[in-house]
Amino acid sequence: MERFIQFNDETIDSFLFMEMADLAKTLARNGDMELKYGPFSYVDYKQQIVYVSHFWDHRKRMDEVNGLKSDVYLRTVGNLSETDNEAVGNYIRKIKKTSIPKFAKQLFVMGEDLRLEEICKSKRPGTKQAFYTRRELYRQYFQAQLKVNLTKSVFTDSLFNALFLLLNAQSPLEEAPEINEEIDLAMPYMQSAITRFYETNSTTDVVGICLQIIEVVEEIVKKDMLNEYFHLPEDAHEQNDIPFDTFEDLKRKDPLANQDVLEEESTGDEEVIDEEFRTWHRETEDKGESFLQFDLDQGSQSDLMGEGVREGDDGDQALAMVQGSAQETEREQYQNVRAAEKEHEELNGGGENKYGKDNRFALPYFLYPDIPTAEEQSVYGNYKSAIAPLQKKLKKMIEKTLEHKRIQPRSDLHFGRLNKKLLRFLTDDNPRLFYKKQNPSSEIDAVFSLLVDCSGSMFDKMDQTKQGITLFHESLKSVRVPHEVVGFWEDTNRATKTHQPNYLKPVLDYTSSLKPASGAEIMQLEPEEDNRDGFAIRLMTERILRRNENQKFLLVFSDGEPAAMEYDQNGIVDTHEAVLDARKQGIEVINVFLSNGPIDEGQRNTIQNIYGNYSILVSEIEELPDVLFPLLRKLLYKSI
């Protein structure tokens, strides 16, 4: 079942999300930089992700936009180029030893963001309004939080709230609130200390001030903070350098299961046999029959060293237990394995970019229709009869237009070849001095692809949708315009994070659609499971681009936004990008949004964000044929 795009159970304006994503990529100067929503704003350096906060949700439009922009500015213009990650990593290691690590982390973020804000405003003066809004909204929030925490006697959180308000005070005369006796006595020092955040020139300076404040706060508070207002991710600031391991580091250090040692008998006249025997220890005491696979399960200490003794070893080498198992390989030759992998990569879109990074694990499977049954033929006959008046009317209008175009005069035109009768240039106010030699084509130079959402939520709309598709098919067939009808869905039960099978069912293709008896195959479209719209649109774009017709139309019949495995957050953005890519290649993409009731403003905005103004909203599914008639007429006229 489809639902609106959700981030932490919050409905997000997908158009605004895409705007912020583009802004982040531009300011970071990195086309691979991603944008995601989260409870807090920070940057993940390793995964190249900028997180913007849900804090700005449910506010006035301009406040929300400015708040999100301020997050992006701080993380891209600020953190990516101005924050010293090594200094942050050292700071995190130090505060872990304190009793107030949560307070320490958030204090640093508060001070560092203040420093970065001034840098952003200096580098980009146009950001001042966004940061002004940020400060105002955060001041209101922390004033409310301070009252709540004082009422609950949560003193460490109250202290942090008070420090933020003092740091972002609107007046130098603003006084610190009373919290408790110990904190109140230390407040003058802390108020003086936090004002030095405005004098910092580096991350190291911020760290120094934070450590001084923490030293005092540890003595006057009993508990660490309960709430998290700002987030400092530890793993994002870990050192990427892998330390060099010595040989001693690589030796096994876990305790041995046994401490077995063979009795030594050194008489000097032992019989020496120059032959290799199996190494003995308790785990291999019994004979085994296979020696092809070696798995280290557990070892025993032994003084048997083999042919040579490594200097400095006490005979404590743990010997592996031999477990043999020989199995026949599933494939006969290595090249067959590589061929299968290559086929998988081709089906998988050739990597992350061909069908979009959000579809890198999506696999297309094309299913072809069966021969229509007698029942399907009968139902299709009923649909065909129901739309016959509209279909005949449309055919007659198109034929008349084509005939008019064929017989209309080809002289006295405003452009074309210059006529020999030039006197009209002097006598007429609006002279028509040109003509055209060739006759216009009596055929429509267009091709249509109808992509039908077969997700589970279509169960109450599929019958009427088939009737609308029947109108399209019969009308296009009657004027000899090639077209295809393809249903699409994702198999929810088989989908995993790394394998997402997507099925596309062309019930009519470009060739079969023009056959006189075709059409009943449309009845084989049924509601199935999830829908990965962006992936399906990209596949249909590939198919229709192989056609030679001048006008190419892709119509998407759907009843909601995309919803599939690992696709909820980015489905709308990915589908919007797929639509833009198709349009850049000359394909007109139009959405027909199907509903069985009133369409709310959220749905309208979501569909508009994906398809722009090229969407037809059908609130009563029974009216679909009547709504599609003028659309089809307009598109065909455009192709004549």
Side-chain angles (χ1 to χ4, degrees):
M1 298 293 288
E2 290 149 70
R3 55 192 182 279
F4 284 99
I5 186 169
Q6 297 280 327
F7 296 90
N8 277 6
D9 298 326
E10 297 289 345
T11 302
I12 298 301
D13 183 338
S14 57
F15 186 76
L16 179 60
F17 177 80
M18 289 183 281
E19 183 183 340
M20 293 300 111
D22 290 341
L23 179 63
K25 290 178 181 178
T26 302
L27 294 178
R29 298 179 181 178
N30 182 357
D32 295 328
M33 184 64 70
E34 291 187 55
L35 183 92
K36 289 188 178 181
Y37 276 86
F40 309 102
S41 172
Y42 62 95
V43 60
D44 187 330
Y45 299 91
K46 295 179 181 179
Q47 301 297 326
Q48 299 189 78
I49 300 174
V50 170
Y51 286 91
V52 291
S53 174
H54 279 300
F55 177 77
W56 313 110
D57 295 347
H58 310 300
R59 302 183 186 275
K60 294 178 182 178
R61 176 71 178 184
M62 282 310 301
D63 289 346
E64 181 182 8
V65 171
N66 283 330
L68 292 172
K69 283 183 177 180
S70 69
D71 279 350
V72 175
Y73 295 147
L74 284 174
R75 307 309 156 217
T76 54
V77 180
N79 287 130
L80 287 178
S81 58
E82 301 292 339
T83 296
D84 183 349
N85 284 332
E86 185 177 353
V88 178
N90 292 333
Y91 176 73
I92 291 174
R93 284 190 287 275
K94 288 179 181 178
I95 63 174
K96 282 183 178 179
K97 300 175 183 178
T98 69
S99 61
I100 49 170
K102 290 183 180 179
F103 177 90
K105 286 183 183 179
Q106 297 185 69
L107 179 67
F108 170 78
V109 175
M110 181 172 68
E112 182 71 352
D113 279 0
L114 180 70
R115 184 181 75 86
L116 297 177
E117 178 182 329
E118 297 304 317
I119 293 174
C120 292
K121 289 190 290 189
S122 174
K123 286 184 175 181
R124 295 178 175 272
T127 63
K128 290 181 180 179
Q129 181 58 47
F131 284 115
Y132 175 79
T133 301
R134 181 186 185 88
R135 285 200 180 196
E136 286 298 303
L137 294 178
Y138 264 120
R139 272 190 59 82
Q140 295 172 17
Y141 174 70
F142 276 105
Q143 284 170 348
Q145 286 294 301
L146 177 60
K147 292 179 182 178
V148 172
N149 288 324
L150 285 174
T151 302
K152 294 181 178 180
S153 298
V154 183
F155 297 125
T156 310
D157 290 60
S158 300
L159 171 60
F160 184 82
N161 299 151
L163 291 178
F164 182 91
L165 293 171
L166 291 171
L167 188 62
N168 296 274
Q170 295 176 320
S171 166
L173 302 177
E174 188 166 331
E175 296 184 359
E178 294 183 0
I179 299 176
N180 64 27
E181 184 177 354
E182 291 181 325
I183 292 176
D184 293 345
L185 289 172
M187 188 61 79
Y189 167 77
M190 286 188 284
Q191 187 171 359
S192 173
I194 61 171
T195 56
R196 292 182 6 235
F197 280 135
Y198 285 100
E199 303 168 5
T200 55
N201 295 314
S202 66
T203 305
T204 305
D205 294 344
V206 175
V207 167
I209 296 171
C210 289
L211 290 175
Q212 292 175 12
I213 296 175
I214 292 166
E215 197 173 330
V216 175
V217 172
E218 265 196 299
E219 297 179 1
I220 60 175
V221 298
K222 298 178 180 178
K223 296 181 180 179
D224 200 358
M225 288 178 63
L226 292 177
N227 300 306
E228 189 172 13
Y229 303 102
F230 302 115
H231 183 61
L232 180 64
E234 294 184 14
D235 55 348
H237 298 281
E238 291 177 352
Q239 297 297 318
N240 291 324
D241 298 332
I242 299 175
F244 176 75
D245 290 332
T246 65
F247 180 76
E248 289 298 320
D249 295 327
L250 298 175
K251 288 175 65 175
R252 178 172 177 172
K253 294 182 174 65
D254 53 312
L256 299 173
N258 313 297
Q259 297 287 330
D260 297 330
V261 179
L262 288 177
E263 294 182 2
E264 294 183 349
E265 297 180 2
S266 180
T267 61
D269 56 353
E270 298 94 330
E271 181 181 1
V272 178
I273 303 174
D274 188 13
E275 183 178 348
E276 291 186 8
F277 288 87
R278 293 179 57 193
T279 302
W280 179 92
H281 59 76
R282 178 176 296 176
E283 305 297 336
T284 58
E285 173 172 47
D286 297 325
K287 282 189 176 182
E289 297 180 357
S290 300
F291 305 90
L292 297 180
Q293 179 178 328
F294 293 78
D295 292 330
L296 183 62
D297 285 353
Q298 56 184 337
S300 299
Q301 177 172 303
S302 170
D303 61 350
L304 295 179
M305 297 304 303
E307 293 183 349
V309 178
R310 176 164 47 83
E311 185 178 356
D313 195 289
D314 294 330
D316 59 354
Q317 175 70 29
L319 301 178
M321 180 175 71
V322 179
Q323 290 181 330
S325 63
Q327 297 181 0
E328 183 180 355
T329 178
E330 294 180 359
R331 304 182 187 276
E332 294 182 359
Q333 296 185 12
Y334 174 73
Q335 51 263 41
N336 292 342
V337 178
R338 291 298 305 146
E341 291 176 356
K342 183 177 180 182
E343 180 183 0
H344 180 276
E345 290 172 1
E346 290 174 352
L347 284 174
N348 199 24
E352 294 191 7
N353 296 323
K354 186 174 182 182
Y355 298 124
K357 61 181 179 296
D358 296 301
N359 303 310
R360 59 188 179 276
F361 299 117
L363 296 173
Y365 296 92
F366 284 84
L367 306 176
Y368 294 96
D370 300 323
I371 298 174
T373 63
E375 182 182 355
E376 290 170 346
Q377 293 278 10
S378 175
V379 175
Y380 184 74
N382 295 334
Y383 286 165
K384 187 175 176 181
S385 300
I387 57 92
L390 292 174
Q391 181 261 320
K392 291 177 181 177
K393 181 180 178 182
L394 182 62
K395 179 182 178 183
K396 196 169 184 180
M397 293 167 62
I398 296 300
E399 287 177 344
K400 281 187 177 181
T401 304
L402 288 171
E403 180 65 16
H404 176 70
K405 182 179 179 182
R406 189 179 66 80
I407 65 174
Q408 69 179 347
R410 305 298 290 167
S411 59
D412 299 336
L413 303 176
H414 284 297
F415 57 90
R417 298 191 176 197
L418 186 62
N419 201 315
K420 294 179 180 180
K421 299 176 183 180
L422 301 178
L423 184 61
R424 284 177 294 176
F425 181 74
L426 302 174
T427 59
D428 294 354
D429 292 334
N430 188 18
R432 297 171 179 264
L433 305 176
F434 300 91
Y435 71 98
K436 286 189 176 180
K437 192 173 183 180
Q438 74 278 12
N439 288 327
S441 171
S442 59
E443 295 183 355
I444 301 174
D445 190 16
V447 62
F448 285 76
S449 179
L450 277 66
L451 189 57
V452 186
D453 174 7
C454 288
S455 60
S457 60
M458 286 285 288
F459 75 96
D460 59 341
K461 310 177 190 75
M462 188 58 81
D463 290 340
Q464 290 84 355
T465 302
K466 291 176 185 177
Q467 189 171 347
I469 295 170
T470 301
L471 171 62
F472 255 92
H473 168 62
E474 291 297 330
S475 300
L476 294 173
K477 181 172 67 172
S478 67
V479 292
R480 307 297 299 169
V481 174
H483 55 282
E484 69 172 354
V485 179
V486 182
F488 72 96
W489 68 93
E490 179 171 292
D491 189 338
T492 308
N493 295 325
R494 292 180 55 205
T496 66
K497 290 185 177 182
T498 57
H499 178 81
Q500 294 133 17
N502 277 255
Y503 295 95
L504 296 102
K505 188 171 186 177
V507 291
L508 291 173
D509 58 31
Y510 295 117
T511 303
S512 64
S513 61
L514 297 181
K515 294 180 180 178
S518 64
E521 295 85 354
I522 295 171
M523 299 301 105
Q524 297 177 23
L525 293 174
E526 296 295 339
E528 303 287 349
E529 299 177 44
D530 282 347
N531 57 310
R532 188 178 291 269
D533 294 30
F535 186 56
I537 289 173
R538 287 183 171 92
L539 290 168
M540 291 303 99
T541 298
E542 280 188 347
R543 290 167 67 93
I544 201 170
L545 284 175
R546 301 189 191 114
R547 302 291 302 184
N548 296 322
E549 288 80 4
N550 185 42
Q551 293 281 339
K552 297 179 175 66
F553 300 101
L554 173 59
L555 278 72
V556 184
F557 290 78
S558 68
D559 70 333
E561 58 280 339
M565 171 71 71
E566 297 289 305
Y567 201 60
D568 290 351
Q569 293 194 356
N570 298 324
I572 290 178
V573 178
D574 179 65
T575 306
H576 174 72
E577 291 174 350
V579 171
L580 289 182
D581 290 342
R583 287 174 178 163
K584 287 176 184 177
Q585 299 179 78
I587 302 171
E588 294 199 33
V589 184
I590 300 168
N591 172 251
V592 180
F593 182 80
L594 309 171
S595 177
N596 255 338
I599 302 172
D600 62 43
E601 192 64 27
Q603 290 175 310
R604 290 178 184 273
N605 291 337
T606 300
I607 297 303
Q608 171 124 12
N609 289 342
I610 297 176
Y611 296 97
N613 295 324
Y614 294 86
S615 184
I616 296 175
L617 306 179
V618 184
S619 58
E620 298 296 333
I621 192 67
E622 292 80 7
E623 300 173 0
L624 182 59
D626 295 322
V627 173
L628 293 180
F629 176 79
L631 170 64
L632 185 53
R633 180 181 61 192
K634 183 176 181 179
L635 296 180
L636 288 174
Y637 278 171
K638 185 174 183 178
S639 306
I640 295 176

